[in-house]
Short mmCIF file of all heavy atoms in Angstrom, two decimals:
data_model
loop_
_atom_site.label_atom_id
_atom_site.label_comp_id
_atom_site.label_asym_id
_atom_site.label_seq_id
_atom_site.Cartn_x
_atom_site.Cartn_y
_atom_site.Cartn_z
N GLU B 301 -3.38 -45.90 -58.06
CA GLU B 301 -3.35 -45.26 -56.75
C GLU B 301 -4.05 -46.07 -55.69
O GLU B 301 -3.67 -46.03 -54.53
CB GLU B 301 -3.95 -43.85 -56.84
CG GLU B 301 -3.09 -42.96 -57.75
CD GLU B 301 -3.19 -41.48 -57.43
OE1 GLU B 301 -4.23 -41.06 -56.88
OE2 GLU B 301 -2.22 -40.76 -57.71
N LEU B 306 -2.75 -44.88 -52.16
CA LEU B 306 -2.90 -43.43 -52.11
C LEU B 306 -4.35 -43.01 -52.23
O LEU B 306 -4.70 -41.88 -51.95
CB LEU B 306 -2.08 -42.78 -53.22
CG LEU B 306 -0.59 -42.76 -52.94
CD1 LEU B 306 0.20 -42.50 -54.22
CD2 LEU B 306 -0.24 -41.71 -51.90
N PRO B 326 0.24 -46.44 -47.86
CA PRO B 326 1.26 -46.69 -48.88
C PRO B 326 2.48 -47.41 -48.30
O PRO B 326 3.03 -48.31 -48.93
CB PRO B 326 1.65 -45.29 -49.35
CG PRO B 326 0.45 -44.45 -49.09
CD PRO B 326 -0.20 -45.03 -47.88
N ARG B 327 2.87 -47.00 -47.10
CA ARG B 327 4.05 -47.63 -46.51
C ARG B 327 3.82 -49.12 -46.29
O ARG B 327 4.65 -49.97 -46.63
CB ARG B 327 4.38 -46.91 -45.20
CG ARG B 327 5.54 -47.44 -44.38
CD ARG B 327 6.88 -47.43 -45.09
NE ARG B 327 7.34 -46.21 -45.71
CZ ARG B 327 7.94 -45.20 -45.10
NH1 ARG B 327 8.14 -45.23 -43.82
NH2 ARG B 327 8.35 -44.16 -45.77
N HIS B 336 7.03 -49.26 -57.25
CA HIS B 336 6.15 -48.41 -58.04
C HIS B 336 6.95 -47.32 -58.74
O HIS B 336 7.59 -46.50 -58.09
CB HIS B 336 5.09 -47.80 -57.11
CG HIS B 336 4.18 -46.84 -57.79
ND1 HIS B 336 3.59 -45.79 -57.14
CD2 HIS B 336 3.78 -46.75 -59.08
CE1 HIS B 336 2.85 -45.10 -58.00
NE2 HIS B 336 2.96 -45.67 -59.18
N PRO B 338 6.22 -44.17 -60.60
CA PRO B 338 5.05 -43.33 -60.87
C PRO B 338 5.13 -42.67 -62.24
O PRO B 338 6.20 -42.52 -62.81
CB PRO B 338 5.08 -42.29 -59.76
CG PRO B 338 6.44 -42.31 -59.21
CD PRO B 338 7.12 -43.57 -59.62
N HIS B 342 8.56 -35.96 -61.94
CA HIS B 342 8.86 -34.74 -61.18
C HIS B 342 7.90 -34.54 -60.03
O HIS B 342 8.27 -34.13 -58.94
CB HIS B 342 8.81 -33.52 -62.10
CG HIS B 342 10.02 -33.43 -62.98
ND1 HIS B 342 10.18 -32.49 -63.96
CD2 HIS B 342 11.14 -34.19 -63.03
CE1 HIS B 342 11.33 -32.67 -64.57
NE2 HIS B 342 11.92 -33.70 -64.03
N LYS B 343 6.64 -34.85 -60.29
CA LYS B 343 5.65 -34.60 -59.25
C LYS B 343 5.63 -35.71 -58.20
O LYS B 343 5.57 -35.43 -57.01
CB LYS B 343 4.27 -34.47 -59.90
CG LYS B 343 3.23 -33.90 -58.99
CD LYS B 343 1.99 -33.47 -59.77
CE LYS B 343 0.86 -33.16 -58.80
NZ LYS B 343 -0.44 -33.24 -59.46
N HIS B 344 5.69 -36.93 -58.66
CA HIS B 344 5.49 -38.03 -57.73
C HIS B 344 6.72 -38.88 -57.46
O HIS B 344 6.78 -39.60 -56.49
CB HIS B 344 4.36 -38.94 -58.22
CG HIS B 344 3.05 -38.25 -58.34
ND1 HIS B 344 2.26 -38.32 -59.46
CD2 HIS B 344 2.41 -37.44 -57.48
CE1 HIS B 344 1.18 -37.60 -59.28
NE2 HIS B 344 1.24 -37.04 -58.09
N LEU B 346 10.19 -37.93 -57.53
CA LEU B 346 11.44 -37.42 -56.96
C LEU B 346 11.20 -36.22 -56.09
O LEU B 346 10.26 -35.45 -56.29
CB LEU B 346 12.38 -37.00 -58.10
CG LEU B 346 12.92 -38.09 -59.01
CD1 LEU B 346 13.56 -37.46 -60.22
CD2 LEU B 346 13.92 -38.96 -58.27
N VAL B 347 12.08 -36.05 -55.12
CA VAL B 347 12.17 -34.78 -54.41
C VAL B 347 13.33 -34.06 -55.09
O VAL B 347 14.49 -34.34 -54.84
CB VAL B 347 12.44 -34.98 -52.92
CG1 VAL B 347 12.55 -33.64 -52.21
CG2 VAL B 347 11.35 -35.83 -52.30
N ASP B 349 14.75 -31.35 -54.94
CA ASP B 349 15.74 -30.61 -54.17
C ASP B 349 16.52 -31.48 -53.19
O ASP B 349 17.30 -30.98 -52.40
CB ASP B 349 15.08 -29.45 -53.44
CG ASP B 349 14.55 -28.42 -54.42
OD1 ASP B 349 15.36 -27.84 -55.13
OD2 ASP B 349 13.32 -28.25 -54.49
N PHE B 350 16.29 -32.77 -53.24
CA PHE B 350 17.12 -33.71 -52.51
C PHE B 350 18.22 -34.18 -53.45
O PHE B 350 18.09 -34.13 -54.67
CB PHE B 350 16.29 -34.93 -52.08
CG PHE B 350 15.73 -34.82 -50.69
CD1 PHE B 350 15.66 -33.62 -50.03
CD2 PHE B 350 15.26 -35.97 -50.03
CE1 PHE B 350 15.14 -33.52 -48.75
CE2 PHE B 350 14.73 -35.89 -48.75
CZ PHE B 350 14.67 -34.67 -48.11
N GLU B 354 19.82 -39.23 -51.76
CA GLU B 354 18.65 -39.21 -50.87
C GLU B 354 17.41 -39.71 -51.60
O GLU B 354 16.56 -40.37 -51.01
CB GLU B 354 18.41 -37.79 -50.35
CG GLU B 354 19.40 -37.38 -49.28
CD GLU B 354 19.24 -35.91 -48.88
OE1 GLU B 354 19.30 -35.05 -49.77
OE2 GLU B 354 19.06 -35.64 -47.70
N LEU B 357 17.20 -43.44 -51.76
CA LEU B 357 16.85 -44.11 -50.51
C LEU B 357 15.46 -43.71 -50.01
O LEU B 357 15.11 -43.98 -48.87
CB LEU B 357 17.89 -43.74 -49.44
CG LEU B 357 19.17 -44.59 -49.37
CD1 LEU B 357 18.84 -45.99 -48.88
CD2 LEU B 357 19.90 -44.67 -50.68
N LEU B 358 14.68 -43.08 -50.89
CA LEU B 358 13.42 -42.49 -50.46
C LEU B 358 12.42 -43.53 -49.92
O LEU B 358 11.49 -43.19 -49.21
CB LEU B 358 12.78 -41.73 -51.64
CG LEU B 358 11.86 -40.56 -51.32
CD1 LEU B 358 12.57 -39.51 -50.51
CD2 LEU B 358 11.33 -39.95 -52.60
N GLN B 359 12.64 -44.79 -50.26
CA GLN B 359 11.71 -45.83 -49.79
C GLN B 359 12.30 -46.66 -48.66
O GLN B 359 11.59 -47.39 -47.99
CB GLN B 359 11.37 -46.79 -50.94
CG GLN B 359 10.53 -46.18 -52.03
CD GLN B 359 9.06 -46.28 -51.74
OE1 GLN B 359 8.65 -46.46 -50.59
NE2 GLN B 359 8.24 -46.13 -52.76
N TYR B 361 14.99 -45.48 -46.39
CA TYR B 361 15.80 -44.71 -45.43
C TYR B 361 15.54 -45.12 -43.98
O TYR B 361 16.39 -44.97 -43.13
CB TYR B 361 15.48 -43.22 -45.59
CG TYR B 361 14.06 -42.89 -45.23
CD1 TYR B 361 13.72 -42.50 -43.94
CD2 TYR B 361 13.04 -43.03 -46.18
CE1 TYR B 361 12.40 -42.25 -43.60
CE2 TYR B 361 11.72 -42.78 -45.83
CZ TYR B 361 11.41 -42.40 -44.56
OH TYR B 361 10.11 -42.17 -44.21
N SER B 367 19.34 -46.62 -41.12
CA SER B 367 19.00 -45.91 -39.90
C SER B 367 18.68 -46.92 -38.83
O SER B 367 18.40 -48.10 -39.10
CB SER B 367 17.81 -44.98 -40.13
OG SER B 367 16.65 -45.76 -40.35
N GLY B 370 15.54 -44.46 -35.45
CA GLY B 370 15.21 -43.12 -35.92
C GLY B 370 16.40 -42.25 -36.27
O GLY B 370 16.23 -41.10 -36.66
N VAL B 371 17.60 -42.77 -36.13
CA VAL B 371 18.79 -41.97 -36.46
C VAL B 371 19.33 -42.44 -37.80
O VAL B 371 19.50 -43.65 -38.03
CB VAL B 371 19.87 -42.12 -35.39
CG1 VAL B 371 21.11 -41.32 -35.79
CG2 VAL B 371 19.34 -41.65 -34.05
N LEU B 372 19.58 -41.49 -38.69
CA LEU B 372 20.05 -41.83 -40.03
C LEU B 372 21.56 -42.02 -40.07
O LEU B 372 22.28 -41.34 -39.35
CB LEU B 372 19.72 -40.69 -41.00
CG LEU B 372 18.32 -40.54 -41.55
CD1 LEU B 372 18.30 -39.36 -42.49
CD2 LEU B 372 17.89 -41.80 -42.29
N TYR B 374 24.06 -41.39 -42.77
CA TYR B 374 24.26 -40.92 -44.13
C TYR B 374 25.36 -41.65 -44.89
O TYR B 374 25.21 -41.94 -46.07
CB TYR B 374 24.50 -39.40 -44.14
CG TYR B 374 23.25 -38.65 -44.49
CD1 TYR B 374 22.44 -38.13 -43.50
CD2 TYR B 374 22.86 -38.51 -45.82
CE1 TYR B 374 21.27 -37.46 -43.81
CE2 TYR B 374 21.69 -37.84 -46.14
CZ TYR B 374 20.90 -37.31 -45.14
OH TYR B 374 19.75 -36.66 -45.46
N MET B 377 23.96 -44.62 -46.35
CA MET B 377 23.01 -44.30 -47.41
C MET B 377 23.72 -43.97 -48.70
O MET B 377 23.37 -44.47 -49.77
CB MET B 377 22.14 -43.09 -46.99
CG MET B 377 21.15 -43.40 -45.89
SD MET B 377 20.27 -41.93 -45.33
CE MET B 377 19.32 -41.47 -46.77
N PHE C 208 20.39 -31.90 -35.58
CA PHE C 208 20.33 -33.36 -35.48
C PHE C 208 18.99 -33.88 -36.00
O PHE C 208 18.95 -34.80 -36.81
CB PHE C 208 20.54 -33.79 -34.02
CG PHE C 208 20.64 -35.26 -33.86
CD1 PHE C 208 21.83 -35.92 -34.12
CD2 PHE C 208 19.54 -36.01 -33.47
CE1 PHE C 208 21.92 -37.30 -33.99
CE2 PHE C 208 19.62 -37.38 -33.34
CZ PHE C 208 20.81 -38.03 -33.60
N LEU C 210 16.85 -32.54 -38.05
CA LEU C 210 16.63 -32.36 -39.49
C LEU C 210 17.54 -33.23 -40.34
O LEU C 210 17.12 -33.75 -41.36
CB LEU C 210 16.83 -30.88 -39.86
CG LEU C 210 15.64 -29.97 -39.65
CD1 LEU C 210 16.00 -28.55 -40.03
CD2 LEU C 210 14.43 -30.44 -40.45
N TRP C 211 18.78 -33.35 -39.92
CA TRP C 211 19.75 -33.96 -40.83
C TRP C 211 20.18 -35.35 -40.42
O TRP C 211 20.81 -36.05 -41.19
CB TRP C 211 20.98 -33.06 -40.96
CG TRP C 211 20.60 -31.72 -41.46
CD1 TRP C 211 20.44 -30.58 -40.72
CD2 TRP C 211 20.27 -31.36 -42.81
NE1 TRP C 211 20.03 -29.54 -41.51
CE2 TRP C 211 19.93 -30.00 -42.80
CE3 TRP C 211 20.24 -32.07 -44.02
CZ2 TRP C 211 19.55 -29.31 -43.96
CZ3 TRP C 211 19.87 -31.38 -45.16
CH2 TRP C 211 19.52 -30.03 -45.12
N LYS C 212 19.86 -35.75 -39.21
CA LYS C 212 20.39 -37.02 -38.76
C LYS C 212 19.31 -38.01 -38.36
O LYS C 212 19.62 -39.08 -37.86
CB LYS C 212 21.32 -36.80 -37.55
CG LYS C 212 22.59 -36.02 -37.88
CD LYS C 212 23.56 -36.83 -38.70
CE LYS C 212 24.27 -35.92 -39.66
NZ LYS C 212 25.15 -36.61 -40.60
N THR C 213 18.06 -37.64 -38.49
CA THR C 213 17.03 -38.60 -38.10
C THR C 213 16.10 -38.88 -39.29
O THR C 213 16.00 -38.08 -40.22
CB THR C 213 16.15 -38.08 -36.95
OG1 THR C 213 15.39 -36.96 -37.43
CG2 THR C 213 16.99 -37.64 -35.76
N THR C 214 15.46 -40.00 -39.21
CA THR C 214 14.55 -40.37 -40.29
C THR C 214 13.37 -39.40 -40.32
O THR C 214 12.89 -39.04 -41.39
CB THR C 214 14.01 -41.79 -40.09
OG1 THR C 214 13.51 -41.89 -38.77
CG2 THR C 214 15.11 -42.80 -40.28
N LYS C 215 12.94 -38.94 -39.14
CA LYS C 215 11.82 -38.00 -39.10
C LYS C 215 12.20 -36.71 -39.84
O LYS C 215 11.42 -36.16 -40.61
CB LYS C 215 11.46 -37.67 -37.65
CG LYS C 215 10.20 -38.32 -37.15
CD LYS C 215 8.96 -37.95 -37.94
CE LYS C 215 7.90 -39.02 -37.77
NZ LYS C 215 7.21 -39.41 -38.96
N GLY C 216 13.43 -36.25 -39.55
CA GLY C 216 13.89 -35.02 -40.18
C GLY C 216 13.93 -35.17 -41.69
O GLY C 216 13.54 -34.27 -42.44
N TYR C 217 14.39 -36.32 -42.12
CA TYR C 217 14.44 -36.60 -43.54
C TYR C 217 13.05 -36.54 -44.15
O TYR C 217 12.81 -35.91 -45.18
CB TYR C 217 15.06 -37.99 -43.68
CG TYR C 217 15.17 -38.58 -45.06
CD1 TYR C 217 16.31 -38.37 -45.83
CD2 TYR C 217 14.15 -39.39 -45.56
CE1 TYR C 217 16.43 -38.95 -47.08
CE2 TYR C 217 14.26 -39.96 -46.81
CZ TYR C 217 15.40 -39.75 -47.57
OH TYR C 217 15.52 -40.32 -48.80
N GLU C 218 12.10 -37.15 -43.44
CA GLU C 218 10.71 -37.11 -43.92
C GLU C 218 10.17 -35.69 -43.95
O GLU C 218 9.50 -35.29 -44.90
CB GLU C 218 9.82 -37.95 -43.01
CG GLU C 218 9.98 -39.44 -43.21
CD GLU C 218 9.06 -40.23 -42.29
OE1 GLU C 218 8.15 -39.64 -41.69
OE2 GLU C 218 9.27 -41.45 -42.18
N ARG C 220 11.77 -32.90 -44.23
CA ARG C 220 12.35 -32.11 -45.31
C ARG C 220 11.76 -32.54 -46.66
O ARG C 220 11.44 -31.72 -47.51
CB ARG C 220 13.87 -32.26 -45.34
CG ARG C 220 14.56 -31.44 -44.26
CD ARG C 220 16.07 -31.58 -44.38
NE ARG C 220 16.53 -32.93 -44.10
CZ ARG C 220 17.31 -33.64 -44.90
NH1 ARG C 220 17.75 -33.13 -46.03
NH2 ARG C 220 17.68 -34.85 -44.57
N ALA C 221 11.63 -33.86 -46.82
CA ALA C 221 11.08 -34.36 -48.08
C ALA C 221 9.67 -33.81 -48.29
O ALA C 221 9.34 -33.31 -49.37
CB ALA C 221 11.06 -35.88 -48.07
N ALA C 222 8.87 -33.86 -47.23
CA ALA C 222 7.50 -33.36 -47.34
C ALA C 222 7.50 -31.87 -47.64
O ALA C 222 6.63 -31.36 -48.34
CB ALA C 222 6.74 -33.64 -46.06
N PHE C 224 9.73 -30.23 -49.41
CA PHE C 224 10.09 -29.97 -50.80
C PHE C 224 9.03 -30.49 -51.76
O PHE C 224 8.70 -29.85 -52.75
CB PHE C 224 11.42 -30.63 -51.14
CG PHE C 224 12.61 -29.90 -50.62
CD1 PHE C 224 13.59 -30.57 -49.93
CD2 PHE C 224 12.76 -28.54 -50.83
CE1 PHE C 224 14.71 -29.90 -49.45
CE2 PHE C 224 13.87 -27.86 -50.37
CZ PHE C 224 14.85 -28.54 -49.67
N ASN C 225 8.55 -31.68 -51.51
CA ASN C 225 7.60 -32.28 -52.44
C ASN C 225 6.66 -33.24 -51.73
O ASN C 225 6.93 -34.43 -51.61
CB ASN C 225 8.37 -33.02 -53.55
CG ASN C 225 7.43 -33.49 -54.65
OD1 ASN C 225 6.22 -33.49 -54.49
ND2 ASN C 225 8.01 -33.89 -55.77
N PRO C 226 5.53 -32.70 -51.25
CA PRO C 226 4.60 -33.54 -50.51
C PRO C 226 4.07 -34.71 -51.34
O PRO C 226 3.85 -35.80 -50.82
CB PRO C 226 3.47 -32.58 -50.12
CG PRO C 226 3.71 -31.32 -50.87
CD PRO C 226 5.12 -31.31 -51.32
N ASN C 227 3.90 -34.48 -52.65
CA ASN C 227 3.38 -35.56 -53.50
C ASN C 227 4.31 -36.75 -53.51
O ASN C 227 3.92 -37.88 -53.27
CB ASN C 227 3.20 -35.06 -54.93
CG ASN C 227 2.02 -34.14 -55.04
OD1 ASN C 227 0.97 -34.43 -54.50
ND2 ASN C 227 2.20 -33.02 -55.69
N ALA C 228 5.58 -36.46 -53.81
CA ALA C 228 6.55 -37.55 -53.89
C ALA C 228 6.68 -38.22 -52.53
O ALA C 228 6.86 -39.44 -52.45
CB ALA C 228 7.89 -37.02 -54.36
N SER C 229 6.57 -37.43 -51.46
CA SER C 229 6.71 -38.02 -50.14
C SER C 229 5.59 -39.01 -49.86
O SER C 229 5.83 -40.08 -49.31
CB SER C 229 6.70 -36.94 -49.06
OG SER C 229 7.67 -35.99 -49.33
N SER C 230 4.37 -38.64 -50.24
CA SER C 230 3.31 -39.59 -49.95
C SER C 230 3.41 -40.79 -50.87
O SER C 230 3.09 -41.89 -50.46
CB SER C 230 1.93 -38.94 -50.01
OG SER C 230 1.80 -38.15 -51.15
N TYR C 231 3.90 -40.61 -52.10
CA TYR C 231 4.14 -41.77 -52.95
C TYR C 231 5.17 -42.70 -52.33
O TYR C 231 5.11 -43.90 -52.52
CB TYR C 231 4.62 -41.32 -54.34
CG TYR C 231 3.50 -41.23 -55.33
CD1 TYR C 231 2.61 -40.17 -55.28
CD2 TYR C 231 3.32 -42.20 -56.31
CE1 TYR C 231 1.56 -40.08 -56.18
CE2 TYR C 231 2.27 -42.12 -57.22
CZ TYR C 231 1.40 -41.06 -57.14
OH TYR C 231 0.36 -40.96 -58.02
N ALA C 232 6.13 -42.11 -51.62
CA ALA C 232 7.16 -42.93 -51.01
C ALA C 232 6.73 -43.47 -49.66
O ALA C 232 7.53 -43.99 -48.90
CB ALA C 232 8.45 -42.13 -50.87
N GLY C 233 5.44 -43.33 -49.34
CA GLY C 233 4.92 -43.98 -48.15
C GLY C 233 5.02 -43.15 -46.88
O GLY C 233 4.80 -43.67 -45.79
N MET C 234 5.41 -41.89 -47.01
CA MET C 234 5.45 -41.07 -45.80
C MET C 234 4.06 -40.48 -45.57
O MET C 234 3.34 -40.21 -46.51
CB MET C 234 6.46 -39.94 -45.97
CG MET C 234 7.84 -40.43 -46.34
SD MET C 234 8.90 -39.06 -46.75
CE MET C 234 10.30 -39.93 -47.46
#
Side-chain angles (χ1 to χ4, degrees):
Chain B
E301 296 206 334
L306 284 163
R327 177 60 51 82
H336 176 209
H342 284 175
K343 193 165 169 202
H344 298 131
L346 294 167
V347 179
D349 295 296
F350 266 17
E354 285 174 305
L357 274 291
L358 208 58
Q359 291 273 21
Y361 64 93
S367 68
V371 178
L372 281 181
Y374 261 96
M377 289 174 66
Chain C
F208 186 81
L210 276 179
W211 301 100
K212 294 288 145 186
T213 67
T214 51
K215 254 301 157 224
Y217 177 90
E218 285 180 13
R220 283 183 294 128
F224 283 131
N225 188 347
N227 287 316
S229 305
S230 46
Y231 265 75
M234 305 172 191

